[in-house]
Amino acid sequence: MKLLLVAVGQRMPDWAETAFHDYAKRFPPELKVEVKAVKTEPRGSKTLQTLYAAERQRIEAAIPRGTRIVALDERGTSLTTQALAQRLKDWQLSGDDVALVIGGPDGLAPEFKAAAHERVRLSDMTLPHAMARVLLIEQLYRAWSINANHPYHRE
């Protein structure tokens, strides 16, 4: 199974890249993690709908057919770490690859969120983009560690 993180935005700060890759390399070979950065549409004088449409097109082009799409959305389902571990287990049992999608400065197009298989929220607080990437990969690693009975997670 592959976990694909699709994130709208270009260069991340060095600390975020370091943290992200530190967690990504911890996953076992049977659970590959890949990140695809999608270019942010230049803001200028464009309408929000134009921005959403351009970014949505890039996001969809980055996601292979047949991939389960999980949109990160501030109004999505709130999950505990244990619930995320169960979701990860369910995804692995289904055999489908999963794309977790982080939107740009204006979020994700409403039509994209509506079409996603799931909508999940990382936090009740607004997070900077780099922090969202790091938090997401850490929680996915923690979920894997719970399912694998690895000592990383403690309760």
Side-chain angles (χ1 to χ4, degrees), residues 70-97:
V70 179
L72 272 65
D73 178 19
E74 63 188 8
R75 292 177 189 84
T77 302
S78 181
L79 297 175
T80 64
T81 300
Q82 292 289 343
L84 179 60
Q86 184 59 53
R87 285 274 169 79
L88 180 60
K89 186 184 293 185
D90 294 343
W91 296 336
Q92 287 179 290
L93 290 173
S94 77
D96 294 333
D97 290 339

Side-chain angles (χ1 to χ4, degrees), residues 12-13 16 42 49 51 66 68 83-84 86 110 122 124 129 141 144:
M12 287 290 101
Q49 292 303 347
L51 298 173
R68 178 173 195 78
L84 179 60
Q86 184 59 53
L122 282 180
D124 288 338
H129 190 85
Y141 177 73
W144 170 82

Side-chain angles (χ1 to χ4, degrees), residues 1-5 31 68-72 79 83-100 117-120 136 139-140 143 147:
M1 177 190 162
K2 183 191 300 181
L3 289 173
L4 175 64
L5 277 64
L31 185 57
R68 178 173 195 78
I69 298 173
V70 179
L72 272 65
L79 297 175
L84 179 60
Q86 184 59 53
R87 285 274 169 79
L88 180 60
K89 186 184 293 185
D90 294 343
W91 296 336
Q92 287 179 290
L93 290 173
S94 77
D96 294 333
D97 290 339
V98 176
L100 296 114
H117 296 97
E118 296 179 57
R119 285 177 304 287
V120 172
L136 178 59
Q139 284 298 294
L140 289 167
N147 293 338

Side-chain angles (χ1 to χ4, degrees), residues 3-30:
L3 289 173
L4 175 64
L5 277 64
V6 179
V8 177
Q10 285 86 4
R11 176 120 168 81
M12 287 290 101
D14 289 343
W15 66 265
E17 286 290 332
T18 300
F20 183 90
H21 290 296
D22 178 58
Y23 283 108
K25 71 182 179 189
R26 296 181 190 192
F27 284 85
E30 66 271 10

Side-chain angles (χ1 to χ4, degrees), residues 53-64:
E55 290 176 355
R56 180 181 180 184
Q57 188 174 33
R58 291 182 188 120
I59 291 166
E60 289 173 345
I63 301 172

